[in-house]
Amino acid sequence: MIVGGGVIGLLTAFNLASEVEQVILLDRGGVGQESSWAGGGIVSPLYPWRYNCAVTALAHWSQDFYPQLAERLFASTGLDPEVHTTGLYWLDLDDEAEALAWARREGRPLSGVDVASVERAVPVLGGGFSRAIYMADVANVRNPRLVKSLKAALQSMPNVTIHEHCEVQGFIREGAKIAGVNTAQGEIHGDQVVLSAGAWSAELLSSLGLELPVEPVKGQMILYKCASDFLSCMVLAKGRYAIPRRDGHILIGSTLEHEGFDKTPTQTALESLKASAIELIPALADAEPVGHWAGLRPGSPEGIPYIGRVSGFDGLWLNCGHYRNGLVLAPASCQLFADLLLGREPIIDPAPYAPAGRF
């Protein structure tokens, strides 16, 4: 049983469905409608060199795996997650030297480029930038389509049951064993319970007397619609980014706000994001955003997710706390989780993500 139907919960279910007798997926709303829908979908941490190596290990595995995951989902559902390899330019970084040193150390294709070449490659880019680094193989995934394709794939599997609008209120305990969950619709039993509830994971674990350091961190974004060839590459400066979709939609993000579970879009954020959009791409001054929304990231210390068994509670597992990188890290996190649950050789060392001793 999997509690939480974001990309982590959906992909966990997808990986397990062919290996176990039955999978039940529960979500408090509609699956994939929270941070998995709201994010930008860059298949890289925004500043990968600033992260702990535990995050880097998951990111590298996922980046290599995403194209084949998208192809598999498209072939089975007809819904294309649109993994779009555009490359990414970082502009005027304060820690450019550290970024380039990280790339040499990790063997990643990141290099310094002159701004004139960036202006030729991205003619709509704003002026005033003096330095740039570039990674050619960075992709973005169209996350709303990713979650739709995952949902469709699961719905086609006879041993998978999805309960939407089914809020989990607590756990069923049989001594030291977690035997299922209590919901507004009644008890639902399961041999193994996986908590993948994003920003709500800590609230659910608190009913067991556990204090998981995962908190909601609000992020707001805006969306423009341009010609399909308007922006050829992702660009990032001063913590804000522009992401082109294949059809000409341009995402601009994002804010970082500690506002509890309030995900109301604000006028202040709208104006700030519009200003960033115009600084990056001046032509957007003549366009009005066609969308503005907010989501809640599952903030965790250093952004390192919790993946594995919860000690002291037989049958309870975590795959949560991915902070800003849920979409980036999902393929590796969910493969690692399946390896641990099924007792297989894990794809990477699971120790940094183990819940034991971390809360």
Side-chain angles (χ1 to χ4, degrees), residues 210-260:
L210 298 173
E211 294 184 15
L212 182 71
V214 170
E215 61 174 344
V217 181
K218 182 176 177 178
Q220 299 188 51
M221 300 188 70
I222 57 175
L223 180 71
Y224 292 89
K225 181 65 171 76
C226 303
S228 60
D229 61 351
F230 175 75
L231 180 65
S232 60
C233 186
M234 294 181 284
V235 291
L236 192 160
K238 299 181 182 177
R240 296 281 170 86
Y241 51 77
I243 306 171
R245 302 301 198 208
R246 286 181 185 164
D247 65 359
H249 280 101
I250 309 291
L251 288 133
I252 305 291
S254 62
T255 64
L256 201 63
E257 307 166 62
H258 293 265
E259 301 285 348

Side-chain angles (χ1 to χ4, degrees), residues 59-72:
H60 286 183
W61 196 95
S62 293
Q63 286 166 326
D64 294 339
F65 187 76
Y66 246 117
Q68 60 183 285
L69 172 64
E71 287 173 13
R72 182 179 171 192

Side-chain angles (χ1 to χ4, degrees), residues 45-358:
L46 287 187
Y47 302 97
W49 55 90
R50 297 179 187 173
Y51 279 91
N52 185 290
C53 59
V55 174
T56 300
L58 291 172
H60 286 183
W61 196 95
S62 293
Q63 286 166 326
D64 294 339
F65 187 76
Y66 246 117
Q68 60 183 285
L69 172 64
E71 287 173 13
R72 182 179 171 192
L73 289 170
F74 188 23
S76 64
T77 68
L79 295 167
D80 186 359
E82 292 190 15
V83 174
H84 184 30
T85 302
T86 64
L88 172 59
Y89 288 102
W90 287 266
L91 303 165
D92 287 359
L93 284 169
D94 291 334
D95 58 350
E96 182 178 306
E98 289 88 339
L100 294 171
W102 169 86
R104 288 191 296 272
R105 191 169 62 247
E106 297 289 333
R108 305 307 285 182
L110 179 68
S111 58
V113 294
D114 65 89
V115 169
S117 70
V118 185
E119 292 168 347
R120 287 193 295 272
V122 188
V124 295
L125 185 70
F129 298 108
S130 59
R131 302 185 318 280
I133 61 174
Y134 178 60
M135 191 182 289
D137 63 352
V138 182
N140 66 76
V141 61
R142 198 158 183 177
N143 35 302
R145 297 193 178 193
L146 173 65
V147 295
K148 279 184 182 177
S149 61
L150 281 168
K151 180 182 178 181
L154 292 174
Q155 288 175 324
S156 72
M157 298 175 177
N159 65 329
V160 176
T161 304
I162 298 175
H163 294 289
E164 296 184 283
H165 307 287
C166 181
E167 186 168 1
V168 171
Q169 299 166 335
F171 298 93
I172 301 169
R173 298 180 65 174
E174 296 176 357
K177 166 78 174 171
I178 300 298
V181 295
N182 295 304
T183 76
Q185 286 81 17
E187 292 186 349
I188 302 178
H189 290 259
D191 293 335
Q192 309 289 334
V193 177
V194 186
L195 186 57
S196 295
W200 289 265
S201 298
E203 281 198 334
L204 286 169
L205 272 189
S206 68
S207 68
L208 297 174
L210 298 173
E211 294 184 15
L212 182 71
V214 170
E215 61 174 344
V217 181
K218 182 176 177 178
Q220 299 188 51
M221 300 188 70
I222 57 175
L223 180 71
Y224 292 89
K225 181 65 171 76
C226 303
S228 60
D229 61 351
F230 175 75
L231 180 65
S232 60
C233 186
M234 294 181 284
V235 291
L236 192 160
K238 299 181 182 177
R240 296 281 170 86
Y241 51 77
I243 306 171
R245 302 301 198 208
R246 286 181 185 164
D247 65 359
H249 280 101
I250 309 291
L251 288 133
I252 305 291
S254 62
T255 64
L256 201 63
E257 307 166 62
H258 293 265
E259 301 285 348
F261 285 94
D262 175 18
K263 58 173 187 174
T264 309
T266 65
Q267 187 66 27
T268 302
L270 175 62
E271 295 305 322
S272 174
L273 289 164
K274 285 170 71 173
S276 294
I278 293 166
E279 184 175 7
L280 280 169
I281 305 168
L284 293 178
D286 300 324
E288 278 301 312
V290 297
H292 174 209
W293 62 86
L296 299 175
R297 310 175 184 90
S300 58
E302 294 188 86
I304 301 173
Y306 299 88
I307 305 172
R309 189 189 301 272
V310 180
S311 57
F313 295 88
D314 188 31
L316 180 60
W317 300 77
L318 300 183
N319 192 2
C320 61
H322 293 74
Y323 197 13
R324 304 189 75 174
N325 295 309
L327 287 157
V328 185
L329 307 182
S333 296
C334 297
Q335 186 63 52
L336 174 62
F337 180 85
D339 292 342
L340 295 173
L341 184 74
L342 299 169
R344 300 187 303 216
E345 181 71 21
I347 54 164
I348 57 174
D349 179 10
Y353 320 100
R358 293 183 61 207

